[in-house]
Amino acid sequence: MTGPVPVPVDVVELVVRVLRRLLAEHPDTVTIKVSTETGRGHDGGPPSLPWLLITEDTHTWAWPALQRSVVRLTCWHRTDHAAKATLNHVMGLLCARPAPAPLLHTEPVSAPLTGDDPYTRAPLATAAIAVHARTPTT
């Protein structure tokens, strides 16, 4: 075999791309920074609020293109209510039927739960969705 082997885009990266596009299409939405990492400071908290962290809890795939992942959404905000409301909005955008391409199917795994970040004491909410995707290689 010659040339590079095509590597499918990770599901978390697909969710970030789709979510950024969906949020941009809804001008009524408060500007939310969507990222795959939090801050790099001493406490590791987000550099600004509101902040939405996209991470992965579990992942399986049928090589090369079909992937299933449970994706964790964590939102830091100024209040518990604002964090939970933001996650409800984000989950609504991601889990609407039909799922936004290249996502094949999305469904909630858990509802948003609120709490305080143990390191920064900032209010946050967290939830999970299951994502099935046909992943491109770019």
Side-chain angles (χ1 to χ4, degrees):
M1 182 172 163
T2 60
V5 175
V7 177
V9 176
D10 185 65
V11 173
V12 170
E13 180 61 28
L14 288 177
V15 170
V16 168
R17 290 178 189 180
V18 167
L19 191 52
R20 284 177 178 158
R21 179 177 44 86
L22 290 172
L23 289 169
E25 291 171 0
H26 288 83
D28 56 326
T29 303
V30 174
T31 302
I32 303 166
K33 176 70 176 177
V34 179
S35 183
T36 58
E37 62 181 48
T38 56
R40 298 174 189 254
H42 175 69
D43 59 14
S48 63
L49 297 176
W51 190 273
L52 183 62
L53 176 66
I54 310 295
T55 58
E56 186 174 62
D57 286 347
T58 64
H59 185 196
T60 60
W61 67 356
W63 181 262
L66 296 176
Q67 298 186 54
R68 181 191 184 277
S69 182
V70 175
V71 173
R72 173 134 336 258
L73 310 167
T74 304
C75 180
W76 285 262
H77 217 302
R78 289 170 183 80
T79 67
D80 290 347
H81 178 76
K84 188 173 185 178
T86 300
L87 277 189
N88 281 325
H89 180 69
V90 165
M91 290 176 72
L93 291 174
L94 290 172
C95 296
R97 300 294 182 257
L103 309 180
L104 299 173
H105 179 74
T106 55
E107 62 186 69
V109 172
S110 70
L113 300 171
T114 60
D116 290 331
D117 184 310
Y119 301 104
T120 65
R121 299 288 181 231
L124 61 76
T126 187
I129 61 171
V131 176
H132 300 259
R134 181 174 304 280
T135 52
T137 57
T138 58

